[in-house]
Amino acid sequence: MSGMNFELTEDQQLIRKSVAELSARFDDHYWMEKDQAHEFPTEFYEAIAAGGWLGMTIPEEYGGHGLGITEATILAEEVARSGGGMNAASSIHMSIFGMQPVVVFGSDEMKAETLPRIANGDLHVCFGVTEPGAGLDTSRITTFAKRSGNDSTGDYIVNGRKVWISKALESEKILLLTRTTPRDEAAKPTDGLTLFLTDIDRDHVDIRPIKKMGRNAVSSNEVFIDDLRIPAAHRIGEEGKGFSYILHGLNPERMLIAAEALGIGRVALDRAVKYANDRVVFDRPIGMNQGIQFPLADSLARLDAAELILRKATWLYDNGKSCGREANMAKYLCADAGFDAADRALQTHGGMGYSEEYNISRFFRESRLMKIAPVSQEMILNFLGANVLGLPKSY
Ligand SMILES: Cc1cc2nc3c(=O)[nH]c(=O)nc-3n(C[C@H](O)[C@H](O)[C@H](O)COP(=O)(O)OP(=O)(O)OC[C@H]3O[C@@H](n4cnc5c(N)ncnc54)[C@H](O)[C@@H]3O)c2cc1C
């Protein structure tokens, strides 16, 4: 009988093993130093690029391997699980699947110019959606792209402000969501948004890093855009349809984030088990106490269950089937299970969990992020409540 199969293919197992081996070259010390120095992990990024992994999902004709989201999530999980956590994952996140709007809707020239450079690691790109005045309600963004002339081929002049843009400081280009029709003049609130892939011209773009709680090796930034000229050729697809292009990439992004959360949870749990076996208090390893053992066993069960829904989601996506329900559940469950594992690992380490010397506090901070960004747990429940259960829409 065929149909149900929980095993990864030989190629997928090889990807897991190879990425784990490569990532193991960068130890806790490396990640702690990069995090504390707020320094981009260039050596790690270059090693991943040299291994050919950045182009994993980019079509072969543009220098990639044309693999699916299943393989991409295996890579993301292993990179995070190595102890690199979100610093490692975020340094390559945009390259692994973030260029999907360009792959699907970009012009041939745009693809030829950018995708091979993404695949070989030469081109860093960031994603500019979030704005201070809009929050999760993307239809409320106000960064505006106005035609400079009267005809439809002219350049756009863009003004506005973005917030939380990861890696903007290190990037040459930005995938930028703008308005081209004011919200109150559009047929639907999500109409009239336009997506560009354009150069970050520092004469017209001011970038200011935000001080934050963790994942400090990859910057998060306020981006101030002042009369930035964008050629029409830098527009992705049609004017006014940018929101639908972004929606197209949302499910794979949720899966990638889920895998990263899972990876942090797994490394935190591994460390907790080791410490619980090694640390002796009251003449016995602390792991002998059920107060320590049960939460860790519970985390194992939750991580494994969350991984199953993630595997289902990636399988559905790669087989061209609808996967909104599973992709959202995977993000929700992996983020929760990952954070709980990190929290329990911290508790297991006692005072040493709170110190900076062990890496547990770093995992704790990074796993907490996964419950907020790129989409909050509440918005996932909103989606499931309204779109899957058929309850009244609340947002
Ligand atoms: C480290 C980091 C990196 C990031 N990187 C990027 C990036 O590269 N590019 C980018 O564009 N953005 C990025 N973001 C932004 C991120 O996507 C947003 O922070 C996230 O989408 C939440 O939006 P917000 O912060 O504006 O929260 P808000 O929209 O202000 O929401 C605040 C809280 O209210 C809740 N809430 C709001 N409305 C409802 C509702 N109707 N029902 C229930 N709860 C609700 C939310 O769930 C949330 O908990 C990043 C954020 C962080 C912290």
Side-chain angles (χ1 to χ4, degrees), residues 127-130 135-136 164-166 215 220 369 372-374 376 378 382 394-395:
F127 194 27
V129 175
T130 308
L136 283 156
W164 284 116
I165 309 310
S166 295
R215 207 211 65 185
S220 302
L369 170 63
I372 303 170
S376 68
E378 293 79 15
N382 275 336
S394 67
Y395 58 102

mmCIF file with all atom_site columns, all heavy atoms in Angstrom, residues 127-130 135-136 164-166 215 220 369 372-374 376 378 382 394-395, ligand 1:
data_model
loop_
_atom_site.group_PDB
_atom_site.id
_atom_site.type_symbol
_atom_site.label_atom_id
_atom_site.label_alt_id
_atom_site.label_comp_id
_atom_site.label_asym_id
_atom_site.label_entity_id
_atom_site.label_seq_id
_atom_site.pdbx_PDB_ins_code
_atom_site.Cartn_x
_atom_site.Cartn_y
_atom_site.Cartn_z
_atom_site.occupancy
_atom_site.B_iso_or_equiv
_atom_site.pdbx_formal_charge
_atom_site.auth_seq_id
_atom_site.auth_comp_id
_atom_site.auth_asym_id
_atom_site.auth_atom_id
_atom_site.pdbx_PDB_model_num
ATOM   1   N N   . PHE A 1 127 ? 13.265  42.741 3.296  1.00 0.00 ? 127 PHE A N   1
ATOM   2   C CA  . PHE A 1 127 ? 11.836  42.727 2.964  1.00 0.00 ? 127 PHE A CA  1
ATOM   3   C C   . PHE A 1 127 ? 11.157  43.865 3.728  1.00 0.00 ? 127 PHE A C   1
ATOM   4   O O   . PHE A 1 127 ? 11.113  43.840 4.964  1.00 0.00 ? 127 PHE A O   1
ATOM   5   C CB  . PHE A 1 127 ? 11.284  41.373 3.398  1.00 0.00 ? 127 PHE A CB  1
ATOM   6   C CG  . PHE A 1 127 ? 9.922   41.048 2.854  1.00 0.00 ? 127 PHE A CG  1
ATOM   7   C CD1 . PHE A 1 127 ? 9.471   41.585 1.666  1.00 0.00 ? 127 PHE A CD1 1
ATOM   8   C CD2 . PHE A 1 127 ? 9.093   40.152 3.525  1.00 0.00 ? 127 PHE A CD2 1
ATOM   9   C CE1 . PHE A 1 127 ? 8.227   41.263 1.159  1.00 0.00 ? 127 PHE A CE1 1
ATOM   10  C CE2 . PHE A 1 127 ? 7.843   39.826 3.031  1.00 0.00 ? 127 PHE A CE2 1
ATOM   11  C CZ  . PHE A 1 127 ? 7.410   40.372 1.840  1.00 0.00 ? 127 PHE A CZ  1
ATOM   12  N N   . GLY A 1 128 ? 10.623  44.834 3.033  1.00 0.00 ? 128 GLY A N   1
ATOM   13  C CA  . GLY A 1 128 ? 10.066  46.021 3.680  1.00 0.00 ? 128 GLY A CA  1
ATOM   14  C C   . GLY A 1 128 ? 8.559   46.071 3.596  1.00 0.00 ? 128 GLY A C   1
ATOM   15  O O   . GLY A 1 128 ? 7.997   46.602 2.623  1.00 0.00 ? 128 GLY A O   1
ATOM   16  N N   . VAL A 1 129 ? 7.903   45.550 4.624  1.00 0.00 ? 129 VAL A N   1
ATOM   17  C CA  . VAL A 1 129 ? 6.443   45.595 4.668  1.00 0.00 ? 129 VAL A CA  1
ATOM   18  C C   . VAL A 1 129 ? 5.964   46.430 5.854  1.00 0.00 ? 129 VAL A C   1
ATOM   19  O O   . VAL A 1 129 ? 5.211   47.395 5.708  1.00 0.00 ? 129 VAL A O   1
ATOM   20  C CB  . VAL A 1 129 ? 5.844   44.169 4.783  1.00 0.00 ? 129 VAL A CB  1
ATOM   21  C CG1 . VAL A 1 129 ? 4.337   44.239 4.955  1.00 0.00 ? 129 VAL A CG1 1
ATOM   22  C CG2 . VAL A 1 129 ? 6.192   43.345 3.557  1.00 0.00 ? 129 VAL A CG2 1
ATOM   23  N N   . THR A 1 130 ? 6.409   46.062 7.069  1.00 0.00 ? 130 THR A N   1
ATOM   24  C CA  . THR A 1 130 ? 5.834   46.620 8.293  1.00 0.00 ? 130 THR A CA  1
ATOM   25  C C   . THR A 1 130 ? 6.062   48.133 8.397  1.00 0.00 ? 130 THR A C   1
ATOM   26  O O   . THR A 1 130 ? 7.137   48.633 8.082  1.00 0.00 ? 130 THR A O   1
ATOM   27  C CB  . THR A 1 130 ? 6.448   45.917 9.523  1.00 0.00 ? 130 THR A CB  1
ATOM   28  O OG1 . THR A 1 130 ? 6.308   44.515 9.342  1.00 0.00 ? 130 THR A OG1 1
ATOM   29  C CG2 . THR A 1 130 ? 5.759   46.328 10.811 1.00 0.00 ? 130 THR A CG2 1
ATOM   30  N N   . GLY A 1 135 ? 0.998   48.296 11.591 1.00 0.00 ? 135 GLY A N   1
ATOM   31  C CA  . GLY A 1 135 ? 1.079   47.051 12.349 1.00 0.00 ? 135 GLY A CA  1
ATOM   32  C C   . GLY A 1 135 ? 0.702   45.871 11.474 1.00 0.00 ? 135 GLY A C   1
ATOM   33  O O   . GLY A 1 135 ? 1.036   45.834 10.283 1.00 0.00 ? 135 GLY A O   1
ATOM   34  N N   . LEU A 1 136 ? -0.024  44.935 12.048 1.00 0.00 ? 136 LEU A N   1
ATOM   35  C CA  . LEU A 1 136 ? -0.400  43.723 11.316 1.00 0.00 ? 136 LEU A CA  1
ATOM   36  C C   . LEU A 1 136 ? -1.424  44.001 10.218 1.00 0.00 ? 136 LEU A C   1
ATOM   37  O O   . LEU A 1 136 ? -1.634  43.173 9.345  1.00 0.00 ? 136 LEU A O   1
ATOM   38  C CB  . LEU A 1 136 ? -0.946  42.687 12.300 1.00 0.00 ? 136 LEU A CB  1
ATOM   39  C CG  . LEU A 1 136 ? 0.140   41.978 13.120 1.00 0.00 ? 136 LEU A CG  1
ATOM   40  C CD1 . LEU A 1 136 ? -0.431  41.447 14.427 1.00 0.00 ? 136 LEU A CD1 1
ATOM   41  C CD2 . LEU A 1 136 ? 0.771   40.850 12.325 1.00 0.00 ? 136 LEU A CD2 1
ATOM   42  N N   . TRP A 1 164 ? 11.227  47.797 11.635 1.00 0.00 ? 164 TRP A N   1
ATOM   43  C CA  . TRP A 1 164 ? 11.585  46.400 11.908 1.00 0.00 ? 164 TRP A CA  1
ATOM   44  C C   . TRP A 1 164 ? 12.192  45.667 10.722 1.00 0.00 ? 164 TRP A C   1
ATOM   45  O O   . TRP A 1 164 ? 12.169  44.447 10.678 1.00 0.00 ? 164 TRP A O   1
ATOM   46  C CB  . TRP A 1 164 ? 10.371  45.601 12.410 1.00 0.00 ? 164 TRP A CB  1
ATOM   47  C CG  . TRP A 1 164 ? 10.016  45.891 13.814 1.00 0.00 ? 164 TRP A CG  1
ATOM   48  C CD1 . TRP A 1 164 ? 8.870   46.450 14.273 1.00 0.00 ? 164 TRP A CD1 1
ATOM   49  C CD2 . TRP A 1 164 ? 10.833  45.660 14.980 1.00 0.00 ? 164 TRP A CD2 1
ATOM   50  N NE1 . TRP A 1 164 ? 8.926   46.576 15.639 1.00 0.00 ? 164 TRP A NE1 1
ATOM   51  C CE2 . TRP A 1 164 ? 10.117  46.105 16.083 1.00 0.00 ? 164 TRP A CE2 1
ATOM   52  C CE3 . TRP A 1 164 ? 12.120  45.128 15.169 1.00 0.00 ? 164 TRP A CE3 1
ATOM   53  C CZ2 . TRP A 1 164 ? 10.614  46.033 17.382 1.00 0.00 ? 164 TRP A CZ2 1
ATOM   54  C CZ3 . TRP A 1 164 ? 12.618  45.051 16.451 1.00 0.00 ? 164 TRP A CZ3 1
ATOM   55  C CH2 . TRP A 1 164 ? 11.870  45.512 17.543 1.00 0.00 ? 164 TRP A CH2 1
ATOM   56  N N   . ILE A 1 165 ? 12.726  46.403 9.770  1.00 0.00 ? 165 ILE A N   1
ATOM   57  C CA  . ILE A 1 165 ? 13.178  45.720 8.558  1.00 0.00 ? 165 ILE A CA  1
ATOM   58  C C   . ILE A 1 165 ? 14.514  45.015 8.829  1.00 0.00 ? 165 ILE A C   1
ATOM   59  O O   . ILE A 1 165 ? 15.560  45.654 9.004  1.00 0.00 ? 165 ILE A O   1
ATOM   60  C CB  . ILE A 1 165 ? 13.269  46.714 7.369  1.00 0.00 ? 165 ILE A CB  1
ATOM   61  C CG1 . ILE A 1 165 ? 11.948  47.487 7.246  1.00 0.00 ? 165 ILE A CG1 1
ATOM   62  C CG2 . ILE A 1 165 ? 13.631  45.973 6.091  1.00 0.00 ? 165 ILE A CG2 1
ATOM   63  C CD1 . ILE A 1 165 ? 10.678  46.650 7.239  1.00 0.00 ? 165 ILE A CD1 1
ATOM   64  N N   . SER A 1 166 ? 14.456  43.692 8.838  1.00 0.00 ? 166 SER A N   1
ATOM   65  C CA  . SER A 1 166 ? 15.626  42.876 9.154  1.00 0.00 ? 166 SER A CA  1
ATOM   66  C C   . SER A 1 166 ? 16.651  42.983 8.041  1.00 0.00 ? 166 SER A C   1
ATOM   67  O O   . SER A 1 166 ? 16.298  42.934 6.863  1.00 0.00 ? 166 SER A O   1
ATOM   68  C CB  . SER A 1 166 ? 15.229  41.411 9.297  1.00 0.00 ? 166 SER A CB  1
ATOM   69  O OG  . SER A 1 166 ? 14.383  41.260 10.400 1.00 0.00 ? 166 SER A OG  1
ATOM   70  N N   . ARG A 1 215 ? 18.446  38.192 19.004 1.00 0.00 ? 215 ARG A N   1
ATOM   71  C CA  . ARG A 1 215 ? 18.763  38.021 17.580 1.00 0.00 ? 215 ARG A CA  1
ATOM   72  C C   . ARG A 1 215 ? 19.540  39.235 17.071 1.00 0.00 ? 215 ARG A C   1
ATOM   73  O O   . ARG A 1 215 ? 19.220  39.821 16.050 1.00 0.00 ? 215 ARG A O   1
ATOM   74  C CB  . ARG A 1 215 ? 17.476  37.828 16.765 1.00 0.00 ? 215 ARG A CB  1
ATOM   75  C CG  . ARG A 1 215 ? 17.703  37.037 15.513 1.00 0.00 ? 215 ARG A CG  1
ATOM   76  C CD  . ARG A 1 215 ? 16.781  37.418 14.410 1.00 0.00 ? 215 ARG A CD  1
ATOM   77  N NE  . ARG A 1 215 ? 16.987  38.764 13.957 1.00 0.00 ? 215 ARG A NE  1
ATOM   78  C CZ  . ARG A 1 215 ? 16.241  39.379 13.043 1.00 0.00 ? 215 ARG A CZ  1
ATOM   79  N NH1 . ARG A 1 215 ? 15.230  38.771 12.488 1.00 0.00 ? 215 ARG A NH1 1
ATOM   80  N NH2 . ARG A 1 215 ? 16.489  40.614 12.661 1.00 0.00 ? 215 ARG A NH2 1
ATOM   81  N N   . SER A 1 220 ? 17.724  44.871 12.899 1.00 0.00 ? 220 SER A N   1
ATOM   82  C CA  . SER A 1 220 ? 16.327  45.205 12.584 1.00 0.00 ? 220 SER A CA  1
ATOM   83  C C   . SER A 1 220 ? 16.286  46.725 12.582 1.00 0.00 ? 220 SER A C   1
ATOM   84  O O   . SER A 1 220 ? 16.833  47.350 13.490 1.00 0.00 ? 220 SER A O   1
ATOM   85  C CB  . SER A 1 220 ? 15.370  44.677 13.644 1.00 0.00 ? 220 SER A CB  1
ATOM   86  O OG  . SER A 1 220 ? 15.508  43.284 13.752 1.00 0.00 ? 220 SER A OG  1
ATOM   87  N N   . LEU A 1 369 ? 10.732  35.481 20.057 1.00 0.00 ? 369 LEU A N   1
ATOM   88  C CA  . LEU A 1 369 ? 10.448  36.270 18.851 1.00 0.00 ? 369 LEU A CA  1
ATOM   89  C C   . LEU A 1 369 ? 9.467   35.546 17.925 1.00 0.00 ? 369 LEU A C   1
ATOM   90  O O   . LEU A 1 369 ? 8.615   36.173 17.285 1.00 0.00 ? 369 LEU A O   1
ATOM   91  C CB  . LEU A 1 369 ? 11.773  36.547 18.118 1.00 0.00 ? 369 LEU A CB  1
ATOM   92  C CG  . LEU A 1 369 ? 11.709  37.145 16.721 1.00 0.00 ? 369 LEU A CG  1
ATOM   93  C CD1 . LEU A 1 369 ? 11.063  38.517 16.755 1.00 0.00 ? 369 LEU A CD1 1
ATOM   94  C CD2 . LEU A 1 369 ? 13.111  37.238 16.128 1.00 0.00 ? 369 LEU A CD2 1
ATOM   95  N N   . ILE A 1 372 ? 5.873   36.351 17.819 1.00 0.00 ? 372 ILE A N   1
ATOM   96  C CA  . ILE A 1 372 ? 5.468   37.697 17.404 1.00 0.00 ? 372 ILE A CA  1
ATOM   97  C C   . ILE A 1 372 ? 5.606   37.909 15.891 1.00 0.00 ? 372 ILE A C   1
ATOM   98  O O   . ILE A 1 372 ? 4.738   38.474 15.243 1.00 0.00 ? 372 ILE A O   1
ATOM   99  C CB  . ILE A 1 372 ? 6.346   38.764 18.103 1.00 0.00 ? 372 ILE A CB  1
ATOM   100 C CG1 . ILE A 1 372 ? 6.262   38.626 19.610 1.00 0.00 ? 372 ILE A CG1 1
ATOM   101 C CG2 . ILE A 1 372 ? 5.957   40.167 17.651 1.00 0.00 ? 372 ILE A CG2 1
ATOM   102 C CD1 . ILE A 1 372 ? 7.288   39.475 20.341 1.00 0.00 ? 372 ILE A CD1 1
ATOM   103 N N   . ALA A 1 373 ? 6.740   37.513 15.346 1.00 0.00 ? 373 ALA A N   1
ATOM   104 C CA  . ALA A 1 373 ? 7.061   37.840 13.955 1.00 0.00 ? 373 ALA A CA  1
ATOM   105 C C   . ALA A 1 373 ? 7.375   36.557 13.174 1.00 0.00 ? 373 ALA A C   1
ATOM   106 O O   . ALA A 1 373 ? 7.848   35.588 13.757 1.00 0.00 ? 373 ALA A O   1
ATOM   107 C CB  . ALA A 1 373 ? 8.275   38.773 13.925 1.00 0.00 ? 373 ALA A CB  1
ATOM   108 N N   . PRO A 1 374 ? 7.136   36.595 11.882 1.00 0.00 ? 374 PRO A N   1
ATOM   109 C CA  . PRO A 1 374 ? 6.589   37.673 11.054 1.00 0.00 ? 374 PRO A CA  1
ATOM   110 C C   . PRO A 1 374 ? 5.081   37.824 11.203 1.00 0.00 ? 374 PRO A C   1
ATOM   111 O O   . PRO A 1 374 ? 4.503   38.754 10.661 1.00 0.00 ? 374 PRO A O   1
ATOM   112 C CB  . PRO A 1 374 ? 6.960   37.245 9.629  1.00 0.00 ? 374 PRO A CB  1
ATOM   113 C CG  . PRO A 1 374 ? 7.020   35.758 9.698  1.00 0.00 ? 374 PRO A CG  1
ATOM   114 C CD  . PRO A 1 374 ? 7.489   35.416 11.074 1.00 0.00 ? 374 PRO A CD  1
ATOM   115 N N   . SER A 1 376 ? 1.924   37.246 14.334 1.00 0.00 ? 376 SER A N   1
ATOM   116 C CA  . SER A 1 376 ? 1.735   36.891 15.742 1.00 0.00 ? 376 SER A CA  1
ATOM   117 C C   . SER A 1 376 ? 0.855   35.647 15.874 1.00 0.00 ? 376 SER A C   1
ATOM   118 O O   . SER A 1 376 ? 0.101   35.293 14.961 1.00 0.00 ? 376 SER A O   1
ATOM   119 C CB  . SER A 1 376 ? 1.095   38.068 16.477 1.00 0.00 ? 376 SER A CB  1
ATOM   120 O OG  . SER A 1 376 ? -0.228  38.233 16.014 1.00 0.00 ? 376 SER A OG  1
ATOM   121 N N   . GLU A 1 378 ? -1.711  35.455 17.638 1.00 0.00 ? 378 GLU A N   1
ATOM   122 C CA  . GLU A 1 378 ? -3.128  35.862 17.614 1.00 0.00 ? 378 GLU A CA  1
ATOM   123 C C   . GLU A 1 378 ? -3.659  35.918 16.174 1.00 0.00 ? 378 GLU A C   1
ATOM   124 O O   . GLU A 1 378 ? -4.800  35.534 15.910 1.00 0.00 ? 378 GLU A O   1
ATOM   125 C CB  . GLU A 1 378 ? -3.313  37.231 18.278 1.00 0.00 ? 378 GLU A CB  1
ATOM   126 C CG  . GLU A 1 378 ? -3.052  37.264 19.776 1.00 0.00 ? 378 GLU A CG  1
ATOM   127 C CD  . GLU A 1 378 ? -1.565  37.316 20.131 1.00 0.00 ? 378 GLU A CD  1
ATOM   128 O OE1 . GLU A 1 378 ? -0.746  37.608 19.243 1.00 0.00 ? 378 GLU A OE1 1
ATOM   129 O OE2 . GLU A 1 378 ? -1.212  37.064 21.303 1.00 0.00 ? 378 GLU A OE2 1
ATOM   130 N N   . ASN A 1 382 ? -6.744  34.073 14.526 1.00 0.00 ? 382 ASN A N   1
ATOM   131 C CA  . ASN A 1 382 ? -7.755  34.808 13.749 1.00 0.00 ? 382 ASN A CA  1
ATOM   132 C C   . ASN A 1 382 ? -8.029  34.098 12.431 1.00 0.00 ? 382 ASN A C   1
ATOM   133 O O   . ASN A 1 382 ? -9.179  33.923 12.009 1.00 0.00 ? 382 ASN A O   1
ATOM   134 C CB  . ASN A 1 382 ? -7.270  36.238 13.440 1.00 0.00 ? 382 ASN A CB  1
ATOM   135 C CG  . ASN A 1 382 ? -7.561  37.215 14.572 1.00 0.00 ? 382 ASN A CG  1
ATOM   136 O OD1 . ASN A 1 382 ? -8.463  36.997 15.370 1.00 0.00 ? 382 ASN A OD1 1
ATOM   137 N ND2 . ASN A 1 382 ? -6.791  38.281 14.640 1.00 0.00 ? 382 ASN A ND2 1
ATOM   138 N N   . SER A 1 394 ? -12.821 38.697 12.953 1.00 0.00 ? 394 SER A N   1
ATOM   139 C CA  . SER A 1 394 ? -12.690 39.658 14.049 1.00 0.00 ? 394 SER A CA  1
ATOM   140 C C   . SER A 1 394 ? -11.654 40.735 13.761 1.00 0.00 ? 394 SER A C   1
ATOM   141 O O   . SER A 1 394 ? -11.323 41.517 14.629 1.00 0.00 ? 394 SER A O   1
ATOM   142 C CB  . SER A 1 394 ? -12.282 38.923 15.331 1.00 0.00 ? 394 SER A CB  1
ATOM   143 O OG  . SER A 1 394 ? -10.974 38.397 15.178 1.00 0.00 ? 394 SER A OG  1
ATOM   144 N N   . TYR A 1 395 ? -11.114 40.766 12.564 1.00 0.00 ? 395 TYR A N   1
ATOM   145 C CA  . TYR A 1 395 ? -10.043 41.744 12.292 1.00 0.00 ? 395 TYR A CA  1
ATOM   146 C C   . TYR A 1 395 ? -10.232 42.405 10.948 1.00 0.00 ? 395 TYR A C   1
ATOM   147 O O   . TYR A 1 395 ? -11.021 41.927 10.148 1.00 0.00 ? 395 TYR A O   1
ATOM   148 C CB  . TYR A 1 395 ? -8.670  41.056 12.327 1.00 0.00 ? 395 TYR A CB  1
ATOM   149 C CG  . TYR A 1 395 ? -8.484  39.910 11.366 1.00 0.00 ? 395 TYR A CG  1
ATOM   150 C CD1 . TYR A 1 395 ? -7.776  40.061 10.170 1.00 0.00 ? 395 TYR A CD1 1
ATOM   151 C CD2 . TYR A 1 395 ? -9.072  38.667 11.619 1.00 0.00 ? 395 TYR A CD2 1
ATOM   152 C CE1 . TYR A 1 395 ? -7.613  39.010 9.297  1.00 0.00 ? 395 TYR A CE1 1
ATOM   153 C CE2 . TYR A 1 395 ? -8.938  37.622 10.715 1.00 0.00 ? 395 TYR A CE2 1
ATOM   154 C CZ  . TYR A 1 395 ? -8.217  37.792 9.573  1.00 0.00 ? 395 TYR A CZ  1
ATOM   155 O OH  . TYR A 1 395 ? -8.082  36.757 8.679  1.00 0.00 ? 395 TYR A OH  1
HETATM 156 C C1  . LIG B 2 .   ? 13.039  41.021 15.248 1.00 0.00 ? 1   LIG B C1  1
HETATM 157 C C2  . LIG B 2 .   ? 11.965  41.375 14.265 1.00 0.00 ? 1   LIG B C2  1
HETATM 158 C C3  . LIG B 2 .   ? 12.232  41.268 12.908 1.00 0.00 ? 1   LIG B C3  1
HETATM 159 C C4  . LIG B 2 .   ? 11.286  41.655 11.976 1.00 0.00 ? 1   LIG B C4  1
HETATM 160 N N1  . LIG B 2 .   ? 11.617  41.639 10.618 1.00 0.00 ? 1   LIG B N1  1
HETATM 161 C C5  . LIG B 2 .   ? 10.754  42.181 9.722  1.00 0.00 ? 1   LIG B C5  1
HETATM 162 C C6  . LIG B 2 .   ? 11.137  42.343 8.345  1.00 0.00 ? 1   LIG B C6  1
HETATM 163 O O1  . LIG B 2 .   ? 12.232  41.946 7.929  1.00 0.00 ? 1   LIG B O1  1
HETATM 164 N N2  . LIG B 2 .   ? 10.262  42.949 7.498  1.00 0.00 ? 1   LIG B N2  1
HETATM 165 C C7  . LIG B 2 .   ? 9.049   43.405 7.909  1.00 0.00 ? 1   LIG B C7  1
HETATM 166 O O2  . LIG B 2 .   ? 8.325   43.945 7.087  1.00 0.00 ? 1   LIG B O2  1
HETATM 167 N N3  . LIG B 2 .   ? 8.649   43.276 9.205  1.00 0.00 ? 1   LIG B N3  1
HETATM 168 C C8  . LIG B 2 .   ? 9.472   42.681 10.117 1.00 0.00 ? 1   LIG B C8  1
HETATM 169 N N4  . LIG B 2 .   ? 9.092   42.562 11.448 1.00 0.00 ? 1   LIG B N4  1
HETATM 170 C C9  . LIG B 2 .   ? 7.799   43.064 11.865 1.00 0.00 ? 1   LIG B C9  1
HETATM 171 C C10 . LIG B 2 .   ? 6.846   41.954 12.272 1.00 0.00 ? 1   LIG B C10 1
HETATM 172 O O3  . LIG B 2 .   ? 6.386   41.293 11.132 1.00 0.00 ? 1   LIG B O3  1
HETATM 173 C C11 . LIG B 2 .   ? 5.743   42.606 13.099 1.00 0.00 ? 1   LIG B C11 1
HETATM 174 O O4  . LIG B 2 .   ? 6.318   43.015 14.338 1.00 0.00 ? 1   LIG B O4  1
HETATM 175 C C12 . LIG B 2 .   ? 4.611   41.666 13.336 1.00 0.00 ? 1   LIG B C12 1
HETATM 176 O O5  . LIG B 2 .   ? 3.951   41.422 12.134 1.00 0.00 ? 1   LIG B O5  1
HETATM 177 C C13 . LIG B 2 .   ? 3.643   42.236 14.362 1.00 0.00 ? 1   LIG B C13 1
HETATM 178 O O6  . LIG B 2 .   ? 3.248   43.522 13.977 1.00 0.00 ? 1   LIG B O6  1
HETATM 179 P P1  . LIG B 2 .   ? 3.346   44.743 15.010 1.00 0.00 ? 1   LIG B P1  1
HETATM 180 O O7  . LIG B 2 .   ? 4.636   44.638 15.703 1.00 0.00 ? 1   LIG B O7  1
HETATM 181 O O8  . LIG B 2 .   ? 3.071   46.007 14.290 1.00 0.00 ? 1   LIG B O8  1
HETATM 182 O O9  . LIG B 2 .   ? 2.204   44.430 16.054 1.00 0.00 ? 1   LIG B O9  1
HETATM 183 P P2  . LIG B 2 .   ? 0.762   45.112 16.149 1.00 0.00 ? 1   LIG B P2  1
HETATM 184 O O10 . LIG B 2 .   ? 0.039   44.995 14.853 1.00 0.00 ? 1   LIG B O10 1
HETATM 185 O O11 . LIG B 2 .   ? 0.914   46.457 16.750 1.00 0.00 ? 1   LIG B O11 1
HETATM 186 O O12 . LIG B 2 .   ? 0.056   44.143 17.195 1.00 0.00 ? 1   LIG B O12 1
HETATM 187 C C14 . LIG B 2 .   ? 0.377   44.179 18.569 1.00 0.00 ? 1   LIG B C14 1
HETATM 188 C C15 . LIG B 2 .   ? -0.263  42.990 19.283 1.00 0.00 ? 1   LIG B C15 1
HETATM 189 O O13 . LIG B 2 .   ? -1.681  43.060 19.140 1.00 0.00 ? 1   LIG B O13 1
HETATM 190 C C16 . LIG B 2 .   ? -2.180  41.861 18.596 1.00 0.00 ? 1   LIG B C16 1
HETATM 191 N N5  . LIG B 2 .   ? -3.313  42.147 17.720 1.00 0.00 ? 1   LIG B N5  1
HETATM 192 C C17 . LIG B 2 .   ? -3.430  43.150 16.808 1.00 0.00 ? 1   LIG B C17 1
HETATM 193 N N6  . LIG B 2 .   ? -4.616  43.062 16.191 1.00 0.00 ? 1   LIG B N6  1
HETATM 194 C C18 . LIG B 2 .   ? -5.258  41.985 16.700 1.00 0.00 ? 1   LIG B C18 1
HETATM 195 C C19 . LIG B 2 .   ? -6.511  41.362 16.446 1.00 0.00 ? 1   LIG B C19 1
HETATM 196 N N7  . LIG B 2 .   ? -7.385  41.837 15.546 1.00 0.00 ? 1   LIG B N7  1
HETATM 197 N N8  . LIG B 2 .   ? -6.835  40.241 17.141 1.00 0.00 ? 1   LIG B N8  1
HETATM 198 C C20 . LIG B 2 .   ? -5.978  39.752 18.071 1.00 0.00 ? 1   LIG B C20 1
HETATM 199 N N9  . LIG B 2 .   ? -4.773  40.301 18.355 1.00 0.00 ? 1   LIG B N9  1
HETATM 200 C C21 . LIG B 2 .   ? -4.429  41.396 17.663 1.00 0.00 ? 1   LIG B C21 1
HETATM 201 C C22 . LIG B 2 .   ? -1.025  41.249 17.823 1.00 0.00 ? 1   LIG B C22 1
HETATM 202 O O14 . LIG B 2 .   ? -1.150  39.864 17.693 1.00 0.00 ? 1   LIG B O14 1
HETATM 203 C C23 . LIG B 2 .   ? 0.161   41.651 18.686 1.00 0.00 ? 1   LIG B C23 1
HETATM 204 O O15 . LIG B 2 .   ? 0.349   40.708 19.702 1.00 0.00 ? 1   LIG B O15 1
HETATM 205 C C24 . LIG B 2 .   ? 10.007  42.117 12.405 1.00 0.00 ? 1   LIG B C24 1
HETATM 206 C C25 . LIG B 2 .   ? 9.734   42.184 13.771 1.00 0.00 ? 1   LIG B C25 1
HETATM 207 C C26 . LIG B 2 .   ? 10.680  41.819 14.699 1.00 0.00 ? 1   LIG B C26 1
HETATM 208 C C27 . LIG B 2 .   ? 10.359  41.953 16.159 1.00 0.00 ? 1   LIG B C27 1
#
